Amino acid sequence: MDRTQLHTLLPHQGDALWLDALVDHDKLTIRGLSAWHHLDKLGKNASPCLLFEAAAQLCAAHGALYGEADAIEMALVGKLSQLNLHPVTRSAEPLLVSAQQEALSPAGALYAFAIHAGTQPLLDGKLLLVLVRA
């Protein structure tokens, strides 16, 4: 799924969309691609920790693909935890973003996520999405 198709799943448009493609997904996991240039928009010294936004969008896409009968109007980042930033040198390779759903309730979804730059881990942690039902 490319950026054009992602626009049908997510409200993020233009520069606000930090995902470039979905690689694969199933009921509990999802993987997608992002890139360093999304971070560059925030300034020369923007922390790679801010790439959690790509992971949050990936998790929201997962919810849009596998949501239950009740439509989800909005998914908001409720909490980031257990963040680990690993030292990595920037490259032109795409960033692989992956997430695994660990828990789901009517109020939210908990995901473990990881971002890799090539074969090197860049950022990982837990992401709690608060779900607003339509």
Side-chain angles (χ1 to χ4, degrees):
M1 184 176 286
D2 64 14
R3 285 180 67 84
T4 303
Q5 294 164 312
L6 282 166
H7 283 151
T8 65
L9 286 180
L10 300 171
H12 305 80
Q13 300 294 309
D15 287 346
L17 182 60
W18 285 34
L19 290 175
D20 296 321
L22 289 186
V23 177
D24 56 37
H25 52 84
D26 62 32
K27 190 169 171 84
L28 293 178
T29 62
I30 189 166
R31 295 186 322 148
L33 299 176
S34 188
W36 286 104
H37 70 86
H38 297 294
L39 183 63
D40 294 341
K41 297 170 205 160
L42 300 177
K44 172 175 134 177
N45 296 320
S47 170
C49 283
L50 296 173
L51 288 166
F52 84 85
E53 177 61 26
Q57 291 179 17
L58 185 76
C59 295
H62 185 261
L65 289 166
Y66 293 95
E68 299 293 322
D70 293 338
I72 297 170
E73 181 178 321
M74 196 176 351
L76 306 169
V77 175
K79 182 178 180 180
L80 286 171
S81 63
Q82 301 176 27
L83 278 181
N84 296 301
L85 178 62
H86 307 275
V88 170
T89 303
R90 286 185 178 216
S91 71
E93 288 186 87
L95 300 174
L96 178 63
V97 186
S98 59
Q100 179 169 355
Q101 188 180 78
E102 295 188 338
L104 177 65
S105 76
L110 177 65
Y111 288 87
F113 74 90
I115 301 175
H116 285 78
T119 60
Q120 299 293 320
L122 171 61
L123 181 67
D124 58 74
K126 305 275 182 161
L127 178 67
L128 177 65
L129 290 182
V130 176
L131 305 175
V132 178
R133 305 269 176 192

